[in-house]
Each structure stands twice: as structure tokens, then as C-alpha cells.
Amino acid sequence: MAQFDPRRQPMRLAPHMMTAVAALSVALFASRAYQPAQAEEVPTLSASQIAALEVQAFASANAPAGMTAPEAVPVQIRRGETFEQAVRRTGVAPEEASAIAATVANAFDLKDLRAGLRFETAIAKPRNGMGDARLIGLTMRTGPATQLTVSRSFDGALRLRSLEEKVSRETVVVKGDVERSLSASARELGATASIVSAASRLFATKFDMQRDVRASDEFTMVFDRDITEAGRTVNVGDLLYAELRGVTFYRFKPAGAKEAQFFDANGKNLRSSMMRTPLQSFRRVSSGFGVRTHPISGYRKMHQGTDFAAASGTPVVAPADGVVVEARRWGGYGNWLRIRHNNGLESGYGHLSRYATGLRAGQRVSQGQVVAYVGSTGASTGPHLHYELWRNGQRINPAGVRTQEGTELAGADLAAFRAEKSRIDRIIAAGGHKRPVVQQASAEGLRPAQG
């Protein structure tokens, strides 16, 4: 087959050589004749410059005779589809799709591909509209910082290149004032959704996030991330520090503990306190604890909980660690959930639209974990959350609950915490910290970046 020779070994080029090959391909497409090149020093380019150069080369290359100029065609692998079948959907001939798949397979096991993976192709089509299209180039990301590129040389042969970006780990300090909302302000400054969510859960143990947080309140978030030389975040670590209105949270793992916890500046554990509300976002408190006129029956009666007006589908979180007692339909409460906590406390949630996936009686839940979603089931006039608290079997006013916080660190744990606190404080003072290059973008303790 002219396009692909299985005896030909794939080439792995350094970034500056990739640039030279791309430039040479463009020239040869245009002239169809090889001109001896003078050896010269090629400057080292960044990964983003290399990618831009490849795109420019594909765009400016003359198409094969009788074909249109190449155009970008994005492809996403469908469920049950092979890589070769996905390539075939671009309009290329079956034998060409097979050759392309065989070329890529020289550097990547195509069995590892999953439905949903996307890659970019550059496709030239017959000018007369008759016959098969022709692949000019293909780029596929094979890892957080690696990608493969297939291009066609002047003689029609397929060439495979592999690019691996250097990845460094840095500690990021996001610091600013609340404007429209804490979440929006932090995201605009570079915090990811996972970091904002983790910080909000901590702040919710000290503040009513709807009524206590105001514009111009200062906040700080510190976290690790892995970033490529092109500036793209590929992994995000855990929240290390969070501060809002002078209240601070330091992440620290005591000796022998199963997981890290958060402590204040004096080493006092903040993990066991009860969150002020089970919602991080709601419109208003539509009905408080006490006697009221029932909106449906019209009678005055005791309202033994707090109603939060919120959009349907708003996540409901567990205000403290606990065990699910029941998750079922219960009369006028509609979809009902009850969780048992420490200190004789239980929490209840009514009118839910649905429960978190897999939630069931007997399941342990953690503080801040999403357990259900706001709805309007049962006797309800609109989307809202009915929230109740019991102490030793008696309903109590949720607004009046005060729970004991965790114990303070001592001895060796306190000394280690103070050292970690000092390290984080120095990073905040310096505005961040960049560490040496790491070998694996998917290093332990990090997760793929989120929006």
C-alpha cells in the first residue's frame, strides 16, 4: 500500500525537529520537488508554538491534485466504535482508515481508547465531489501531557510524531475580594470547581453562605496543581488552605489518621462542627421555625423546621458526618431523607426531587457530601427544602444549634502542624510556589482538572 509501509519505523522527534519537519512538509507540498536544505540552528519552541505551527502548516499546505484545501474535522469515538471506524466517518477510504489506525498503533494501544475520546483531523475532499476524502493530518491527545500527530509527507506516506510536554507542579494562591459571589470570584481568579466546592463546605461550618458573605469580603484559597509548559492545567490537588473574613482553615494529616483534616491557626480541629445550612446556594429563607399560617391549609400551626427557597435540582449536603436512617416517600414531606449524627442529633430533609446516586439506609455520609437535590414533591407550593433537626428525638430550631468542635492538636502532632502552617504561610506571602518538573502528570494525590 502506497500510503503506509508497515516496515517503516515510526519517528519520535524532539520539539525543534518537529518544527523543521513541519516546515519542510509545507514547502514540499507547494513545490512537489525537493530542494537541498542548509543545516542551521533551529530555536527551541514551546509546546504551544509547536502546536500553532502544525495548525498553520496544515492550513497553508497545498492539497493533493484534484482535492480541496484541508479543513478541520473533529471526531469523537462513539460507544462500541473502533478508532478505525471513527476515522472512516471523516470520508476517507476504508484502506486509508486502516493505514491510519495501523500507524497510530505503532505508538499507542488502540484498545485503551474509550467512547467519548476526541481527536482532530485535517481532511481534503475531491473537488468534483466524487470519490473518497484524504487525510492530511490527525492530532490525538493520549494523556494529560502527551499527544500523537499523524501527517502526510509530500510522497503520500504517513508520518507519526509523539509530543510529550514537560509538566511542573506548583502551589497556587488565589486571593481576592468577593464580587458577585464567592464561587464566581474565585473561579475568575483561577480556582477550579472542585477547589471552590471544598472551600465552600469549610466556610459553611462558620458562615451562612447566603446571608453572612457580602461583597468586598476577602478570601484566599491555596492548592496544588500540575501544569504543562504551555500553561494548561492537567491535574488539581487538594485544598491546602482557605480563608474568608479572617477565619482560616489549614489542611493537615495527624500521625496515624486515615485522612487529612482542617484546623484553625491554633491547631483546633474544625471537622466535627455542624454546617450552618445544608445548602451552599439558596434564594432566601422562606419560612423559619415557629408558628405560622400554613400556605396550603390556611391554618395557623407550628412549623417545626426551616424552609429554604431554592431552584429545583440544587444539591443538598450533609451538615455533619452521619448515617442515613431512611430515604423514602413520607406523606406531605414527599421524598424524605433522615440522617443520624453524633451528640444525639438527627437531620431531616423534605420535598426532595431525588436522592444522590446510590444513597440508601445504613450508608455513612461525610460532612459536605451531596445527599439529595431540592424539589417540590409532596405538599409543596414550589421548589424548596424543608430542613429539620432533632436532639434526642425532639424537634429543635436549626438556627439555634451550637455543636462542640474537635479537640486541639498536642505534642508531636502540634509541632508538625505548626511546621506545615509555616510552610503554607510562606507560600501565601510569596504569592505561590513552583516546584521542579514531575515525571508523571497523574501523580498520586492529584485528579483531572475541572472547569
Side-chain angles (χ1 to χ4, degrees):
M1 183 170 59
Q3 295 93 333
F4 173 70
D5 184 351
R7 297 167 300 178
R8 195 187 304 269
Q9 294 297 315
M11 299 178 63
R12 179 182 178 88
L13 304 179
H16 65 277
M17 290 300 294
M18 292 172 59
T19 304
V21 171
L24 180 59
S25 298
V26 172
L28 292 174
F29 263 107
S31 62
R32 291 290 180 177
Y34 172 75
Q35 299 295 331
Q38 296 295 324
E40 59 183 59
E41 190 75 19
V42 179
T44 301
L45 300 180
S46 69
S48 59
Q49 290 173 316
I50 294 170
L53 193 62
E54 288 185 340
V55 171
Q56 182 180 0
F58 285 144
S60 61
N62 289 331
M67 309 294 282
T68 63
E71 60 181 64
V73 178
V75 180
Q76 182 175 16
I77 295 181
R78 299 170 179 170
R79 185 180 299 275
E81 185 178 50
T82 66
F83 176 77
E84 183 175 334
Q85 291 169 335
V87 172
R88 182 73 181 87
R89 285 192 284 108
T90 64
V92 302
E95 59 272 16
E96 181 160 324
S98 178
I100 295 165
T103 301
V104 172
N106 283 319
F108 185 78
D109 189 347
L110 295 178
K111 294 179 181 178
D112 293 336
L113 296 181
R114 297 291 182 267
L117 180 138
R118 300 173 183 270
F119 57 91
E120 298 291 330
T121 64
I123 301 295
K125 298 179 181 179
R127 292 185 183 277
N128 59 8
M130 303 291 290
D132 298 310
R134 189 171 177 80
L135 182 132
I136 303 301
L138 179 149
T139 299
M140 180 176 69
R141 186 163 294 283
T142 55
T146 58
Q147 71 177 32
L148 295 176
T149 299
V150 177
S151 60
R152 193 178 294 280
S153 65
F154 72 98
D155 61 355
L158 296 173
R159 293 289 184 267
L160 177 67
R161 299 195 298 273
S162 178
L163 171 66
E164 183 173 357
E165 296 181 80
K166 292 182 179 179
V167 178
S168 60
R169 181 167 299 168
E170 63 181 18
T171 303
V172 182
V173 177
V174 171
K175 189 172 186 178
D177 295 336
V178 175
E179 294 181 359
R180 299 190 308 278
S181 69
L182 174 65
S183 176
S185 300
R187 294 289 297 274
E188 288 175 359
L189 293 174
T192 64
S194 61
I195 292 299
V196 172
S197 179
S200 296
R201 288 196 297 271
L202 290 175
F203 296 147
T205 64
K206 293 295 184 180
F207 305 104
D208 181 325
M209 298 302 289
Q210 290 294 118
R211 293 179 288 185
D212 294 343
V213 181
R214 300 178 177 86
S216 78
D217 284 345
E218 294 184 354
F219 68 90
T220 304
M221 300 177 191
V222 180
F223 58 95
D224 287 335
R225 70 174 179 177
D226 281 354
I227 185 172
T228 68
E229 54 189 327
R232 186 172 56 84
T233 299
V234 293
N235 289 299
V236 177
D238 293 307
L239 180 71
L240 302 177
Y241 172 90
E243 178 183 359
L244 179 65
R245 297 178 60 180
V247 177
T248 59
F249 301 83
Y250 291 86
R251 186 177 188 272
F252 176 71
K253 184 177 181 181
K258 293 182 179 180
E259 59 181 21
Q261 302 163 18
F262 282 90
F263 300 81
D264 66 13
N266 297 316
K268 190 173 186 178
N269 187 347
L270 302 170
R271 186 67 180 84
S272 61
S273 59
M274 177 77 74
M275 294 172 66
R276 295 283 298 275
T277 67
L279 295 173
Q280 295 176 12
S281 174
F282 58 92
R283 297 192 183 100
R284 60 191 173 87
V285 174
S286 55
S287 185
F289 186 91
V291 177
R292 67 166 186 175
T293 300
H294 195 278
I296 295 179
S297 69
Y299 294 105
R300 287 184 61 77
K301 59 185 299 186
M302 185 67 180
H303 183 239
Q304 302 188 92
T306 301
D307 288 351
F308 298 94
S312 183
T314 299
V316 178
V317 301
D321 294 351
V323 178
V324 175
V325 177
E326 56 185 357
R328 63 183 178 88
R329 193 84 177 183
W330 189 26
Y333 286 96
N335 290 330
W336 167 256
L337 172 67
R338 184 160 59 100
I339 301 174
R340 180 176 296 120
H341 310 284
N342 293 328
N343 304 317
L345 286 174
E346 290 187 351
S347 57
Y349 315 81
H351 311 303
L352 303 170
S353 60
R354 60 188 177 93
Y355 306 104
T357 302
L359 192 79
R360 64 189 182 282
Q363 178 179 336
R364 300 196 67 84
V365 294
S366 302
Q367 184 182 70
Q369 178 180 336
V370 174
V371 292
Y373 299 87
V374 171
S376 188
T377 55
S380 171
T381 58
H384 74 284
L385 175 69
H386 175 78
Y387 177 53
E388 295 186 357
L389 277 183
W390 290 271
R391 187 186 295 279
N392 300 323
Q394 298 295 319
R395 287 182 173 89
I396 60 175
N397 186 351
V401 171
R402 295 293 182 268
T403 59
Q404 182 179 3
E405 295 184 350
T407 58
E408 294 188 32
L409 295 170
D413 281 338
L414 180 58
F417 167 76
R418 287 173 174 168
E420 174 64 3
K421 176 182 177 297
S422 296
R423 183 185 75 86
I424 293 174
D425 288 344
R426 288 194 301 270
I427 291 174
I428 294 173
H433 175 61
K434 194 164 187 175
R435 308 181 195 180
V437 171
V438 297
Q439 297 301 316
Q440 295 293 332
S442 56
E444 182 180 358
L446 297 180
R447 55 183 174 273
Q450 302 178 33

